[in-house]
Structure formats: C-alpha cells, structure tokens
C-alpha cells in the first residue's frame, strides 16, 4: 500500500465541475453531495457543475462542496493508501479529521455548512479583507504588519503562514490595502484576495463563538492516524485535542510552515494531496528548503477519478 501523509486543501482550490466524474461513477459519492445539499440548503451540484465563478466563490456553498470533493477523493483511494498522518489547510482541516475518523462525514458536512454561513455573515458591512504578500521574507512581512498597524491604527495580522515566501495578512480593509502598498514599496507584491471577510483573525470572533457549541456537540473519536492542526502546527492523537485546536482555528493564524516542518521532522517524505487542483503540494519544498532538497520529497495529486484510479497501491 502507498504510505503517505494526506493533505486536504481549503478555499481557493475550487474548480468548475469538481467532483462530478466521481459522483457520476459512484452512488456513495453522489449521496455525499446530496447529504451536503441537505445540510447547507443549497443546490451545490448545480452551482459547481453548471454555475459561474461568483456562485462558486460564495463561502456558504464552497465550504460544504469542497469538503464533499475532498472526502470523495479520499474514499476513492482509501483502500490503497496507508496514511502516516493528515493535515488540511483551514477548511481542509475538517476533511483531514473526517479521513482520520475523528468526525463522521455527516457531522463534518453539517459543521462546514454552518461554518460557511457564519463566516459569510460575519462581516456584512465588508470591513475586513485579506491579501497575499509575496516575494518578501517573514521578517519583512512582520515589519510591514507592525508598521501598518501603527500608522493607521487598524487591526492587521499574518493570518496564513503558507510558505516562507507566501504569507497572507488579514484585518481591516484599510490596513490590508496599506500593507499591499508597503509590500510593493519593499519590492514585493500584495494581492488582495476575493474573500468575504478577514478570516483567521479576531474579526471572526463572533462567528467562532456561534460555531463552538456545535463543535462541542459533535462526537469526537480518537484519530486512526495523527492529524496536524492549523492553530499550532502539531500532531494531535486524541479527539479532545482535535476539538480544542478546531475551537481556536477560525480566529487563529494557519501555521502551515510549522505543520510541514513538523511532519518532516516526524519522518514524512511522501505526501498525497486530495483536492480539485494542486495547491498544497507546491508549498512543501519551499517550507522544507532548510531541511531537504526538492528531489528528496515525493508529492502526488489526486484530483479526479482518473488520477484516483491511477494511484499505485
């Protein structure tokens, strides 16, 4: 069997038509779409198989739909893979927990449907924003964030530590715009993201508080393999620890660099990304540049029925 760490992407990895081939070939896969539609109250197959970009980017629909795709891809290869561990980026953490048996697929779809709605409603006046700051190192970005906060007096922080050269800031719209300007002045790039709020920041506190009771009501089981969590980048080995991490996730930064480095330090050398397109696999070598050469790392993508069938057991 293939031995690898499972990686599940989050928002931004969606594609038109995602998951359709698997669903049309498997009654179980189709039923998961129907379950997500009941949980969300949205016509997810219509949106993602026949919809437009605006509809697909709506986090209310995106969160349950992407979770379905991730989980169906995992189901398609589960019999041929022995997971060493798992991790998911932001939303993808729910898929990782389901793959490890910590939460049931039904519970995960109910939680991500609620999470999507709460996050969409968290900033009705559009006060928050996010931006990727590129071609700058961590020290430069942290200085930009500190200088921006001091200059405009608005909240801003590093929300996603994706790679040493790809960091995402989140906060008040004016602060994010100023940070992008400062990034350009520092010979970097600032790209504002198409999101509905300042995710992974204190501006999600109300949404996080509303989600928390439902997280606590869910049944949390011991993981079948370790799950590395966003809030701290470390592996958890019990359901209670996974719950505590997920309770903090919505308002905490995504510690993806630490996640990848901790996996490598714990022995990981092969990763399997399960999602609509290559996103997380591209981050592995940059995160581990201080530890390994790229040719020492194996990364595979399973993003449709064809690639699932082709995966060697």
């Amino acid at each position: 069997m293939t031995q690898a760490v499972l990686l599940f992407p989050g928002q931004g990895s969606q594609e038109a038509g995602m998951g359709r081939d698997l669903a049309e070939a498997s009654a179980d896969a189709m039923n998961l779409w129907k379950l997500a539609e009941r949980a969300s109250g949205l016509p997810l197959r219509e949106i993602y198989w026949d919809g437009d970009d605006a509809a697909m980017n709506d986090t209310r629909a995106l969160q349950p739909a992407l979770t379905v795709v991730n989980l169906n891809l995992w189901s398609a290869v589960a019999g041929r893979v022995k997971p060493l561990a798992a991790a998911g980026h932001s939303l993808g953490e729910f898929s990782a927990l389901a793959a490890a048996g910590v939460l049931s697929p039904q519970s995960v779809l109910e939680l991500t449907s609620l999470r999507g709605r709460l996050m969409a409603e968290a900033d009705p006046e559009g006060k928050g924003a996010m931006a990727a700051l590129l071609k700058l190192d961590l020290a430069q970005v942290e200085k930009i964030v500190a200088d921006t906060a001091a200059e405009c007096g608005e909240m801003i922080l590093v929300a996603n530590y994706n790679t040493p050269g790809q960091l995402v800031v989140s906060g008040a719209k004016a602060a994010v715009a100023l940070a992008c300007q400062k990034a350009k002045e520092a010979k970097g790039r600032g790209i504002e993201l198409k999101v509905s709020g300042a995710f992974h920041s204190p501006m999600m506190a109300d949404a996080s508080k509303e989600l928390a009771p439902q997280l606590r009501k869910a049944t949390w089981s011991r993981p079948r393999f370790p799950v590395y969590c966003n809030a701290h980048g470390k592996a958890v080995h019990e359901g209670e620890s996974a719950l505590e991490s997920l309770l903090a996730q919505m308002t905490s930064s995504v510690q993806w660099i630490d996640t990848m480095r901790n996996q490598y330090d714990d022995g990981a050398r092969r990763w399997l990304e399960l999602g609509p397109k290559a996103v997380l696999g591209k981050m592995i070598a940059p995160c581990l540049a201080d530890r390994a050469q790229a040719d020492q790392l194996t990364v595979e993508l399973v993003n449709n029925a064809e690639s699932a069938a082709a995966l060697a057991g």
Side-chain angles (χ1 to χ4, degrees):
M1 297 180 75
T2 297
Q3 294 190 0
V5 175
L6 309 179
L7 298 179
F8 295 94
Q11 296 188 80
S13 63
Q14 65 270 21
E15 292 267 79
M18 65 180 188
R20 186 169 190 164
D21 56 350
L22 282 172
E24 291 180 343
S26 164
D28 287 343
M30 187 68 81
N31 285 337
L32 204 63
W33 277 99
K34 294 176 181 178
L35 183 61
E37 288 176 341
R38 289 195 293 272
S40 65
L42 298 170
L44 300 178
R45 286 170 292 172
E46 179 182 331
I47 291 170
Y48 289 92
W49 297 353
D50 302 307
D52 59 25
D53 287 346
M56 289 193 297
N57 289 335
D58 186 337
T59 194
R60 297 173 184 84
L62 177 52
Q63 296 208 29
L66 185 59
T67 302
V68 168
V69 176
N70 289 352
L71 292 183
N72 277 340
L73 288 167
W74 165 237
S75 294
V77 302
R80 289 169 285 138
V81 177
K82 181 180 180 181
L84 301 176
H89 191 285
S90 191
L91 169 66
E93 188 161 296
F94 287 85
S95 297
L97 292 168
V102 179
L103 294 168
S104 69
Q106 179 172 344
S107 180
V108 160
L109 291 175
E110 290 171 351
L111 288 169
T112 54
S113 295
L114 176 59
R115 183 179 186 266
R117 180 177 64 79
L118 292 174
M119 290 174 70
E121 296 172 353
D123 186 11
E125 298 176 5
K127 294 181 179 179
M130 300 180 74
L133 302 190
L134 310 176
K135 300 184 178 180
L136 300 169
D137 62 29
L138 178 57
Q140 289 175 299
V141 171
E142 288 181 334
K143 185 177 188 307
I144 286 172
V145 167
D147 290 348
T148 297
E151 186 173 325
C152 71
E154 300 274 9
M155 194 281 295
I156 186 170
L157 50 71
V158 180
N160 294 357
Y161 292 84
N162 289 337
T163 75
Q166 185 193 119
L167 301 155
V168 176
V169 297
S170 182
K173 187 169 287 187
V176 170
L178 180 57
C180 287
Q181 178 185 324
K182 289 182 178 294
K184 185 176 180 180
E185 293 169 356
K187 309 301 183 184
R189 293 180 64 199
I191 302 174
E192 293 202 37
L193 306 181
K194 295 179 180 178
V195 294
S196 58
F199 300 159
H200 295 288
S201 83
M203 294 181 78
M204 291 291 113
D206 288 345
S208 181
K209 288 177 183 177
E210 287 191 59
L211 182 64
Q214 300 308 313
L215 288 173
R216 291 192 174 95
K217 284 182 184 178
T219 299
W220 293 77
S221 302
R222 184 179 181 84
R224 292 191 290 264
F225 41 82
V227 177
Y228 290 74
C229 293
N230 290 181
H232 46 64
K234 300 174 184 177
V236 298
H237 303 271
E238 54 200 36
E240 184 176 340
S241 297
L243 168 60
E244 291 304 313
S245 296
L246 207 53
L247 284 168
Q249 192 218 47
M250 200 183 292
T251 55
S252 300
S253 302
V254 176
Q255 301 291 344
W256 197 251
I257 299 172
D258 287 346
T259 295
M260 301 314 302
R261 289 176 176 173
N262 286 333
Q263 288 179 3
Y264 183 87
D265 292 347
D266 290 341
R269 299 296 183 271
R270 186 176 188 179
W271 290 264
L272 187 63
E273 182 172 1
L274 299 148
K277 62 183 179 184
V279 177
L280 301 179
K282 297 177 181 178
M283 298 181 186
I284 294 173
C287 285
L288 302 179
D290 64 335
R291 285 163 166 76
Q293 299 293 321
D295 59 7
Q296 297 173 317
L297 311 170
T298 302
V299 184
E300 297 168 84
L301 173 68
V302 173
N303 65 335
N304 53 32
E306 181 180 359
S307 57
L311 182 71

